[in-house]
Amino acid sequence: MSVVGQGIDRTDGFLKVTGGATYSAEHGLARLAHALMVLSTIPSGKISSIDDIAARAMRGVLAIMTPQNAAQLPPQKRPPPGAMGNPRLSLLQDNNVQYNGQPIAVVVADTLEHAQDAARQLRVHYVPAKAVLGFGEAKKHLRTPASQPERPADTTRGNAAGNMAHASIKQDTLYTTPIENHNPMEPHATIAAWDGDMLTLYDSTQNVSGVRKTAAKTFGIAPEKVRVVCPFVGGGFGCKGNTWSHVMLAAMAAKMAGCPVKLAIERTQMFAPVGARPMTEQRLRLGAAKNGKLGAVLHDTVSSTSFVDDFTEPCSAVTRTLYNTDTLHTTQRLATMNLGVPTYMRAPGEASGSFALESALDELAYALKIDPVQLRLQNYAETDPEKHLPFSSKSLRECYEIGAQKFGWARRSAAPRSMRDGSTLIGYGMATATYPAHRSPAKASAIIHPDGSAVVRSGTHDLGTGTYTVMTQIAADALGLPVSKVRFELGDTDMPAAPVSGGSQTVASVGPAVYAAATAARTKLAAMALADEASPLHGLRIDDIVADNGWLMDRAKPQRREPMAAVIARHDGTPVQADSEAAPGEEKRQFSMHSFGAVFVEVHVDADLGTVRVPRVVATYGVGKLMNEKTGRSQLMGGIVWGIGMGLMEKTEFDWRYGRALNANLADYHVPVNADIGSIDITVLDEQDPHINVLGAKGIGEIGIVGVAAALANAVYHATGKRIRDLPITLDKLV
Ligand code: MOS
């Protein structure tokens, strides 16, 4: 491999900066109408009637779809509540309202403005019912989520409670994290077009195959009748992993209006019907010996969920694998509220769970007067303590070492409030990062054309992460072609199927399929040359042939060679194609697979005002082989920036009387901007993982955010002596 790993520029960069990249709402279709969702304004109850007479008479209105006239959809066999996957959708099949912001009608008009105008004229009458709102209220009726394979609600190893009683140091602390909403630059958007019984959806999604499946099920049609197209995504972060109501509503509206329909979600509508990170309350009990050895770990999580469907934020997953303790007890419970269904948000479980675990360890370090890094080393897991398997690779020790050294951790004076510069309190904090290395089966195809260029395809996605670029690199290396001669295409169910681009698994899943397809196409071409008397390579064995820069050559005598294009030319110019599938194998049962990292942060807290600034972050990761130095680093940096948002800013505020988000816009819902970010120093170790997949890549999509909020809380404590166990760490909590 020669191009893989290099920090080449994004292959789709030119299209993006010149406006040539077509996002979902931008596909131009003839007779395209505009649809707008109308959302409920009560959290619980029934719609008694919707008066649409005035709205229907308005200019440009093509259709108004409500529970009164929406097409009756075929009944569906639904997975039991709590089964992870696509949530139950609100498709106007009944009059029930289960949260504020639930889709209750769709207005279609010739222009967006006409649709907006008509939507305002709808008169919705409700019979409100009592809503369960607020965490305190919801916690009165806790439920245990249905256990999933590999995701039990509760786990036990050893006698944690018994060991706890005998520990020399006992710690019992409660951490809370708020509801957060996804705010990718590109909100959800769908264009739906019917051609007879054939449905095409241009949808901003992390899972074209998943959207196809949901549409086929929803409308009772064969999956082959649904095509989903998504060449560009302006950020996903988990909210586009599921198919939400608006996608199906767009298709229903298109059928009703008799023309293609565009439904682009407004920013405000990002705050209810399309998922959120649930709020959590996590109780962490740690028992330790004086030397810091953990004798008992108990992690009890309550996360919020909805009445529409369940979602469980798996906070204790991180606690089960990160440290070496053979006495552990974890539980997950659900508190149900009249809110929208929560969903995956970048590093679901790990981001929120590590805030509790890594804050608790920091508290323990102070109680024991042990350096926080030392405490983690004292409990270092050489093998997976939950699965009792070796790690496919783990460089966490090096991450701590290199991170601490680059950060200057040794300069930290141990006592809280002991480092300051005038009225600025200075704090150092650190935390561990980890995320599982997932992989799913994926398919790809590769075609070498007579001009010596190649097109490689897989129905995967580029969420802005660099999939186009990285897959081009992998294909170019495997084909023996320069990057400029390879075009990678993605985002279409007409292409070989790939899994959801979630769980940080795209490179690890699709990369091997692309590698296999490209290798197969190259091998096919080489075999054609060997069998061809006109080829200078005639008679060589297949293993003797290497491909480089568009040439096939004899490994032993590289002067003996010919251009790949020449082979095809002699074979009637017929393109050479290979299709491949790649899937995880035995290694999945033999190894525990995780990425690891260490995050060090410095905070400056204004002693009088409580404002927190983050002048620098130093982070080190072991993520296997990095496919592209530039896009990889960018992605990790994005995760850290979001971690700063999670630690210091992000929170969806609700009016708990009505269950409505109060800050449903980017002015009031704070995310970091450039001025909030100081220096971010990222080191990716040169980690070899021979087990994980043919590329040695473990995935980097989510690990960047993990640990950052805890590192910040720990640094804030170091600076101020105030332990904030409730995110985000805003100034009101510090003054
Ligand atoms: Mo991710 S939160 O699985 O996109």
Side-chain angles (χ1 to χ4, degrees):
M1 292 267 171
S2 58
V3 183
V4 164
Q6 281 181 33
I8 67 163
D9 290 347
R10 288 172 193 274
T11 56
D12 54 334
F14 181 80
L15 283 179
K16 283 195 169 169
V17 298
T18 55
T22 310
Y23 289 83
S24 293
E26 297 173 336
H27 292 270
L29 268 62
R31 296 196 312 125
L32 187 62
H34 297 259
L36 186 72
M37 282 199 300
V38 179
L39 308 183
S40 70
T41 55
I42 63 162
S44 175
K46 278 191 186 304
I47 299 163
S48 53
S49 68
I50 298 180
D51 176 359
D52 58 9
I53 293 169
R56 279 182 185 282
M58 291 183 66
R59 200 166 129 205
V61 172
L62 299 169
I64 293 179
M65 189 166 73
T66 69
Q68 292 158 189
N69 68 344
Q72 204 60 41
L73 298 169
Q76 288 194 31
K77 254 209 356 245
R78 297 291 323 202
M84 300 294 244
N86 282 319
R88 286 157 205 271
L89 303 179
S90 307
L91 302 181
L92 316 183
Q93 298 297 294
D94 57 44
N95 289 316
N96 296 328
V97 174
Q98 290 172 298
Y99 64 95
N100 205 325
Q102 177 185 315
I104 54 164
V106 177
V107 177
V108 185
D110 57 347
T111 67
L112 178 61
E113 291 74 15
H114 283 155
Q116 287 167 332
D117 207 9
R120 274 192 290 269
Q121 299 308 319
L122 284 185
R123 293 290 167 260
V124 184
H125 303 283
Y126 301 96
V127 182
K130 192 176 153 33
V132 180
L133 288 166
F135 212 28
E137 188 61 28
K139 276 192 304 180
K140 288 179 189 160
H141 305 282
L142 288 183
R143 289 185 296 118
T144 304
S147 285
Q148 309 294 317
E150 302 233 353
R151 218 173 238 193
D154 298 355
T155 66
T156 301
R157 356 188 241 266
N159 179 3
N163 269 27
M164 187 74 193
H166 297 117
S168 26
I169 299 274
K170 303 179 186 56
Q171 185 177 291
D172 187 348
T173 41
L174 196 71
Y175 304 89
T176 48
T177 64
I179 288 178
E180 294 172 27
N181 281 90
H182 307 73
N183 275 292
M185 276 214 269
E186 179 209 24
H188 298 260
T190 307
I191 290 176
W194 290 93
D195 181 3
D197 62 348
M198 176 76 209
L199 172 64
T200 303
L201 293 165
Y202 300 88
D203 184 41
S204 185
T205 176
Q206 296 172 228
N207 191 0
V208 288
S209 299
V211 174
R212 163 188 262 185
K213 219 180 278 174
T214 303
K217 261 176 63 179
T218 301
F219 300 116
I221 55 180
E224 298 71 43
K225 296 281 187 194
V226 183
R227 180 175 174 210
V228 182
V229 181
C230 180
F232 293 96
V233 181
F237 313 113
C239 63
K240 294 172 182 168
N242 281 328
T243 309
W244 298 100
S245 308
H246 66 275
V247 184
M248 298 304 121
L249 289 173
M252 291 164 70
K255 186 151 255 182
M256 183 177 271
C259 61
V261 153
K262 178 199 296 196
L263 199 164
I265 295 245
E266 298 175 334
R267 180 61 62 183
T268 309
Q269 298 188 339
M270 292 300 293
F271 288 77
V274 286
R277 195 197 290 283
M279 61 171 83
T280 75
E281 185 179 275
Q282 304 175 57
R283 183 181 182 194
L284 238 300
R285 281 171 286 172
L286 300 178
K290 292 225 166 63
N291 64 4
K293 204 68 205 90
L294 287 169
V297 177
L298 294 94
H299 189 171
D300 301 300
T301 302
V302 181
S303 62
S304 61
T305 189
S306 77
F307 284 100
V308 180
D309 207 346
D310 277 352
F311 175 84
T312 307
E313 181 83 357
C315 291
S316 51
V318 59
T319 310
R320 298 206 285 266
T321 49
L322 193 48
Y323 297 109
N324 185 34
T325 173
D326 43 20
T327 45
L328 172 121
H329 187 65
T330 71
T331 65
Q332 298 267 163
R333 296 292 177 270
L334 294 174
T336 315
M337 271 185 255
N338 286 98
L339 295 177
V341 191
T343 192
Y344 316 98
M345 184 187 274
R346 189 183 260 189
E350 278 74 14
S352 36
S354 72
F355 168 64
L357 177 66
E358 292 295 301
S359 292
L361 272 182
D362 196 69
E363 298 200 43
L364 187 64
Y366 281 100
L368 289 164
K369 296 194 170 27
I370 294 178
D371 180 272
V373 177
Q374 198 48 46
L375 180 64
R376 286 161 174 86
L377 289 171
Q378 181 72 280
N379 294 288
Y380 196 83
E382 302 291 351
T383 56
D384 184 326
E386 179 79 5
K387 295 184 184 161
H388 301 290
L389 289 175
F391 290 108
S392 61
S393 59
K394 180 174 182 176
S395 315
L396 181 54
R397 213 182 283 281
E398 293 81 351
C399 291
Y400 291 136
E401 227 167 80
I402 291 166
Q405 201 240 325
K406 285 188 94 175
F407 183 81
W409 185 250
R411 291 200 302 272
R412 169 181 178 270
S413 66
R417 250 188 132 84
S418 60
M419 290 167 63
R420 64 188 297 159
D421 177 9
S423 66
T424 301
L425 305 172
I426 297 169
Y428 287 4
M430 62 81 56
T432 310
T434 186
Y435 194 79
H438 296 302
R439 180 181 175 188
S440 302
K443 295 177 184 170
S445 70
I447 305 169
I448 308 173
H449 286 288
D451 66 351
S453 72
V455 176
V456 181
R457 294 190 177 98
S458 178
T460 182
H461 323 84
D462 190 327
L463 314 178
T465 45
T467 311
Y468 274 114
T469 312
V470 163
M471 294 304 152
T472 304
Q473 290 173 279
I474 294 168
D477 273 348
L479 287 162
L481 288 173
V483 159
S484 60
K485 292 274 187 196
V486 178
R487 193 168 79 240
F488 183 74
E489 296 178 349
L490 54 70
D492 194 326
T493 47
D494 279 355
M495 297 177 188
V500 55
S501 285
S504 304
Q505 68 168 355
T506 299
V507 162
S509 306
V510 181
V514 164
Y515 179 81
T519 303
R522 185 202 68 212
T523 307
K524 226 176 187 177
L525 190 73
M528 282 158 59
L530 298 185
D532 181 356
E533 282 180 13
S535 170
L537 302 167
H538 177 67
L540 284 171
R541 289 175 317 132
I542 196 85
D543 296 343
D544 297 334
I545 308 269
V546 289
D548 187 39
N549 206 24
W551 294 80
L552 292 176
M553 55 186 82
D554 180 357
R555 188 188 305 273
K557 248 198 310 171
Q559 315 88 285
R560 190 173 167 186
R561 62 176 193 171
E562 72 167 324
M564 291 159 99
V567 183
I568 300 183
R570 285 198 308 276
H571 286 78
D572 309 326
T574 311
V576 175
Q577 173 162 359
D579 303 313
S580 285
E581 179 163 11
E586 270 305 297
E587 73 281 359
K588 231 180 170 169
R589 279 179 288 282
Q590 295 163 341
F591 296 97
S592 173
M593 301 174 177
H594 295 262
S595 289
F596 294 96
V599 191
F600 294 82
V601 305
E602 176 174 336
V603 298
H604 289 179
V605 184
D606 186 298
D608 303 314
L609 302 175
T611 47
V612 181
R613 306 291 300 169
V614 189
R616 64 196 184 101
V617 180
V618 174
T620 310
Y621 299 100
V623 293
K625 169 96 178 155
L626 196 62
M627 297 286 102
N628 182 310
E629 174 71 23
K630 191 176 179 179
T631 57
R633 191 177 290 276
S634 285
Q635 205 176 159
L636 289 164
M637 194 182 293
I640 292 168
V641 169
W642 199 359
I644 293 172
M646 180 185 187
L648 305 179
M649 299 167 196
E650 281 196 61
K651 179 184 186 183
T652 306
E653 300 281 1
F654 286 88
D655 182 330
W656 288 118
R657 293 170 301 173
Y658 309 113
R660 176 184 286 260
L662 288 168
N663 53 348
N665 58 71
L666 285 178
D668 298 319
Y669 184 93
H670 291 175
V671 296
V673 297
N674 279 340
D676 294 312
I677 303 301
S679 119
I680 297 181
D681 176 350
I682 293 168
T683 304
V684 177
L685 300 177
D686 184 17
E687 185 181 69
Q688 308 293 320
D689 191 324
H691 307 296
I692 191 105
N693 51 55
V694 65
L695 303 166
K698 289 202 282 194
I700 53 171
E702 308 188 57
I703 192 172
I705 192 175
V706 182
V708 178
L712 287 165
N714 300 342
V716 164
Y717 176 75
H718 183 236
T720 64
K722 280 194 182 146
R723 177 61 64 177
I724 309 302
R725 302 191 181 99
D726 175 48
L727 289 183
I729 306 167
T730 43
L731 49 83
D732 52 300
K733 296 170 187 172
L734 290 170
V735 290

